[in-house]
Amino acid sequence: MRRRDFLKKAGIGVAASAAFGPVFAQASPSVRWRLASSFPKSLDTIYGAAEVLAERVSALTGGRFQIRPYQAGEIVPGLQVMDAVQQGTVEVGHTASYYYVGKAQVLAFDTAVPFGLTARQQNAWMYHGGGIELFRPIFADFGIIQFPGGNTGVQMGGWFRKEIKGVADLRGLKMRIPGPGGQVMSRLGVVPQVLAGGDIYPALERGVVDAAEWVGPYDDEKLGFYKVAKFYYYPGWHEPGPMLSFYVNLREWGRLPKEYQQAFEVAAAEANQWMMAKYDRLNAPALQRLIRAGVRLRKWPADVMRAAQKAAFDWYEEEAAKDATYRKVFTAWKAFREEQYRWFGVAELGYEQFAFPAV
């Protein structure tokens, strides 16, 4: 599919691209924004989406609209990006919405929930299934407008110091696992911890946590988890397709010329696709390197998967019963999920079960 067609189908305005050029650059104001990321610069793919956004916005506006990314901790800590955008400390942030479920549990659906949507399905829901439209008023209450900003694809289940042979082995473990995954793990007896990416390795090394999940082989290798925990579990049922988001301060968004808004939307859509493609390229060889380094790859026991799935949907129903906004999003999401699972079960899974070798 041609790039222009993809952007049209994604619901992103591209008409402005024809107007970008010397005349546009001369007639438009100079805008300088700061972007706070939740991620360290060393994680070049998850952090890199913010750089892609900034580079493309500049190119599409003849250099008149500049966004400067800052890694976690340079302006605010990684888990305070939403607050920074709300308060106007920065104009834009790059983060994961499930970091902020303390503000509203429904925000998790903007990222990922256990046994939810894959990356492709999340994009389908956001761009064509009503997801963006559902979330715009929710984020507006926080003074933010949100845009899809990347996806890691299905993650790994995490690093453990000891082998997990069943649900009983999880009880009492301290594990770095944020958001809905942490909620579900807590129902299985785990004590969840929320730590930013740069804080995980020292906590695992010192025994502050017994286990930790982050993203997948490429980033996990960079952070060195295999040096202090040898059991590596899959699949990441807690995050089957976690989407990152670009948060923009709503007041600042309203001040942008329409052409700049379109440039931002186009650049965000490109960054969203870029991240997933890069992770797909890099995770495969990284996993092989980890195995050669002595990592013990393990599939989650079936009883853990069954218990986690039941705990997840019991919890969703409980939240939906007490929160009307959550119920509205969950009801739409669940119907979309069921439809998607039927289709992917026929097409994608039917092919993969034949074509992909066993691990």
Side-chain angles (χ1 to χ4, degrees):
M1 182 182 294
R2 294 179 302 169
R3 171 183 164 78
R4 182 178 294 272
D5 289 341
F6 166 78
L7 293 173
K8 284 181 178 177
K9 290 179 183 294
I12 301 299
V14 297
S17 62
F20 297 148
V23 174
F24 172 81
Q26 292 169 10
S28 300
S30 177
V31 175
R32 300 289 183 270
W33 277 8
R34 298 193 302 171
L35 181 154
S37 173
S38 284
F39 314 105
K41 196 169 185 178
S42 59
L43 300 178
D44 58 296
T45 306
I46 201 166
Y47 176 83
E51 295 177 316
V52 170
L53 174 84
E55 290 165 5
R56 296 300 291 144
V57 164
S58 176
L60 288 169
T61 60
R64 303 295 292 175
F65 184 7
Q66 296 284 333
I67 300 174
R68 181 179 175 184
Y70 292 84
Q71 67 178 331
E74 282 194 283
I75 297 178
V76 293
L79 301 181
Q80 294 179 22
V81 168
M82 187 176 190
D83 296 297
V85 177
Q86 277 185 273
Q87 296 162 9
T89 305
V90 296
E91 293 82 6
V92 58
H94 188 223
T95 191
S97 296
Y98 68 9
Y99 290 157
Y100 312 106
V101 292
K103 297 176 182 289
Q105 283 289 348
V106 72
L107 294 177
F109 289 97
D110 186 56
T111 305
V113 295
F115 300 97
L117 304 176
T118 65
R120 280 177 57 188
Q121 292 165 350
Q122 183 78 2
N123 270 341
W125 184 48
M126 282 291 163
Y127 288 128
H128 294 292
I132 288 178
E133 290 79 5
L134 280 169
F135 274 105
R136 284 286 157 85
I138 294 171
F139 278 102
D141 287 343
F142 295 100
I144 288 170
I145 183 170
Q146 153 269 5
F147 301 87
N151 204 302
T152 69
V154 61
Q155 296 194 354
M156 292 293 283
W159 297 88
F160 291 77
R161 291 179 177 275
K162 67 176 186 178
E163 191 167 7
I164 305 298
K165 296 181 179 179
V167 174
D169 292 331
L170 292 172
R171 293 177 189 135
L173 286 183
K174 298 187 294 294
M175 181 179 183
R176 184 275 176 191
I177 181 168
Q183 289 277 359
V184 173
M185 275 295 198
S186 71
R187 293 180 175 227
L188 303 186
V190 171
V191 181
Q193 310 288 314
V194 179
L195 300 171
D199 298 329
I200 301 172
Y201 181 89
L204 194 58
E205 183 182 37
R206 296 195 306 268
V208 175
V209 295
D210 305 301
E213 64 77 40
W214 176 237
V215 175
Y218 180 67
D219 282 347
D220 291 4
E221 180 187 33
K222 276 179 170 285
L223 293 177
F225 301 144
Y226 66 96
K227 299 174 184 176
V228 289
K230 290 296 184 183
F231 292 99
Y232 198 23
Y233 277 83
Y234 75 94
W237 51 261
H238 63 296
E239 295 186 40
M243 189 188 81
L244 285 300
S245 292
F246 291 113
Y247 289 178
V248 179
N249 180 281
L250 199 52
R251 188 186 313 107
E252 295 299 328
W253 177 256
R255 292 172 177 168
L256 285 179
K258 294 297 182 184
E259 295 89 347
Y260 285 14
Q261 290 181 350
Q262 289 183 318
F264 187 97
E265 290 185 64
V266 168
E270 182 173 330
N272 185 48
Q273 177 179 263
W274 175 92
M275 183 191 292
M276 184 71 264
K278 189 171 181 184
Y279 270 124
D280 279 343
R281 169 65 186 92
L282 296 173
N283 276 328
L287 180 59
Q288 295 307 309
R289 289 193 299 269
L290 288 170
I291 292 172
R292 288 195 296 269
V295 168
R296 301 173 189 177
L297 195 62
R298 295 289 188 270
K299 190 174 184 177
W300 279 118
D303 74 320
V304 171
M305 296 289 285
R306 286 192 295 267
Q309 185 176 48
K310 183 180 186 305
F313 279 86
D314 286 350
W315 175 51
Y316 304 152
E317 295 289 352
E318 291 167 15
E319 290 295 325
K322 62 187 181 184
D323 184 324
T325 300
Y326 188 103
R327 182 165 60 252
K328 181 180 180 180
V329 172
F330 172 64
T331 301
W333 171 90
K334 186 180 179 184
F336 186 84
R337 174 189 181 274
E338 291 172 355
E339 181 182 71
Q340 289 290 297
Y341 273 32
R342 286 192 293 270
W343 162 237
F344 274 70
V346 170
E348 297 292 324
L349 185 60
Y351 171 72
E352 291 167 1
Q353 285 179 330
F354 171 79
F356 290 2
V359 174

